[in-house]
Amino acid sequence: MTGRGNLIDGKKISADIKDEVARGVAALSDKGITVSLAVILVGEDPASQVYVRNKKKACEATGIRSVSHELPESTTEAELISLISDLNADDSIDGILVQLPLPSHIDEDKVIRAIDPAKDVDGFHPESVGALSIGQKGFVSCTPAGIIQLLKRSGVEMDGANCVIIGRSNIVGKPMGILMLRENATVTITHSHTKNLKNVCKNADILIVAIGRAKMVDADYVKDGAVVIDVGMDRDENGKLCGDVDFDAVKDKCLAITPVPGGVGPMTIAMLMYNCLAAAENKAR
Ligand code: NAP
């Protein structure tokens, strides 16, 4: 990459990954193995319904069989865990995805722990998280795994780079930090208590932003020539989808940047498909 303002195209890179997954799924199919993902949705949250629909579409596109369990809001924690136990025991199911958030009467942590780590394609089970942190094999949370693919496939040098991450959530910030360490970057994870955040960010060769605040990161946070990855999925003052980074203000200052939409978002689902294939391949070994 040369110049400034290069776009990191998540749509294209995610399509490439889904093509690769489709080839892997077809190869297993030739051996008589069907890759299957169980998708569980509890309640009628409209955003969750959209996410689940998109995940099912991606399954169709890659040849993965999706088995849908759409349960009423009134489902009890015990009923949900009982369904997960059945799916854990079902040899025809490779991956189990429970769409979050769950209704408030259900303990998400208990539900995630109920999933067999061999089928934990979201990478949220404590065993998966533990394996990641000590460098062992296991499923990696899809959004940070997708960001690594974006960087690698765009030719961004991670080895020795100064990487600053804004946000320390369990699903993005923390696993992102561990994955960047694995790539030999020097990692700083920042959060709402970080002092002089702008100055810290200005040291970053790679700045990864996962805050959940529309356009918070402007040009003052960005070093000239940095690579900026925007994980945010927010709404601007007109209700339009935007990221945590003020794209127009930052674009010409950085070497490369992900747009919102069309950057990190499509990668998350592509990596879910990748994890489903990996689960089936692990089982077939
Ligand atoms: P989260 O759990 O709410 O975590 C937000 C993090 O940002 C926290 O660590 C918080 O710090 C930090 N933060 C909040 N305000 C800050 C400030 N003013 N300065 C510095 N740090 C601040 O969010 P998340 O689940 O990681 O998601 C972050 C964003 O990514 C959201 O917009 C979400 O929609 C989006 N997202 C997108 C995808 C995708 O597929 N594209 C996937 C997941 C999430 P504290 O820990 O100190 O509170």
Side-chain angles (χ1 to χ4, degrees):
M1 249 181 308
T2 53
R4 290 286 180 271
N6 293 290
L7 273 193
I8 297 181
D9 187 349
K11 265 195 196 162
K12 159 87 176 65
I13 295 173
S14 65
D16 290 346
I17 291 174
K18 281 191 274 184
D19 284 347
E20 290 160 24
V21 170
R23 286 199 287 278
V25 170
L28 283 183
S29 171
D30 288 345
K31 295 183 190 163
I33 298 167
T34 304
V35 183
S36 300
L37 172 68
V39 181
I40 305 175
L41 174 64
V42 185
E44 277 159 24
D45 175 55
S48 292
Q49 286 174 331
V50 172
Y51 291 137
V52 162
R53 211 164 36 239
N54 289 341
K55 287 168 187 175
K56 285 190 205 158
K57 266 194 213 157
C59 283
E60 274 168 37
T62 49
I64 294 174
R65 180 176 73 112
S66 68
V67 183
S68 194
H69 295 270
E70 289 178 16
L71 310 176
E73 180 89 19
S74 58
T75 304
T76 65
E77 188 177 285
E79 284 166 340
L80 178 55
I81 289 178
S82 162
L83 169 62
I84 292 172
S85 302
D86 291 345
L87 294 168
N88 284 341
D90 183 341
D91 224 24
S92 74
I93 295 294
D94 299 294
I96 301 171
L97 177 135
V98 180
Q99 184 63 47
L100 302 178
L102 290 168
S104 56
H105 63 277
I106 299 179
D107 181 342
E108 276 183 8
D109 193 43
K110 262 196 195 164
V111 169
I112 290 168
R113 280 173 186 273
I115 298 171
D116 178 348
K119 299 188 179 188
D120 175 36
V121 286
D122 254 341
F124 293 163
H125 191 287
E127 200 172 306
S128 307
V129 177
L132 172 66
S133 59
I134 56 172
Q136 292 183 353
K137 277 194 102 178
F139 290 110
V140 179
S141 175
C142 299
T143 302
I147 292 170
I148 294 291
Q149 288 302 316
L150 280 180
L151 293 168
K152 279 194 174 159
R153 291 172 188 240
S154 305
V156 176
E157 180 67 46
M158 288 180 266
D159 198 311
N162 261 340
C163 174
V164 175
I165 299 162
I166 317 183
R168 56 174 164 180
S169 70
N170 289 337
I171 59 165
V172 188
K174 282 185 204 150
M176 193 70 245
I178 297 168
L179 287 175
M180 289 304 288
L181 269 183
R182 229 192 227 184
E183 299 298 330
N184 295 323
T186 301
V187 179
T188 306
I189 301 183
T190 67
H191 45 78
S192 67
H193 296 245
T194 299
K195 295 199 171 76
N196 301 320
L197 182 62
K198 285 184 186 179
N199 287 342
V200 176
C201 293
K202 271 207 145 158
N203 283 322
D205 304 310
I206 302 171
L207 178 62
I208 301 175
V209 188
I211 317 170
R213 287 176 184 241
K215 301 186 187 177
M216 188 185 109
V217 170
D218 60 22
D220 291 346
Y221 289 75
V222 177
K223 180 170 88 171
D224 200 31
V227 171
V228 177
I229 303 290
D230 188 355
V231 187
M233 293 218 304
D234 313 307
R235 297 276 163 193
D236 70 9
E237 57 284 4
N238 303 315
K240 210 175 131 208
L241 185 64
C242 71
D244 291 340
V245 177
D246 186 344
F247 182 86
D248 293 332
V250 167
K251 181 172 176 281
D252 294 330
K253 197 171 182 188
C254 53
L255 172 63
I257 184 167
T258 55
V260 178
V264 174
M267 295 300 293
T268 300
I269 291 186
M271 296 315 288
L272 175 67
M273 300 299 110
Y274 175 91
N275 281 351
C276 289
L277 172 62
E281 286 175 341
N282 292 343
K283 199 174 74 187
R285 269 193 198 112

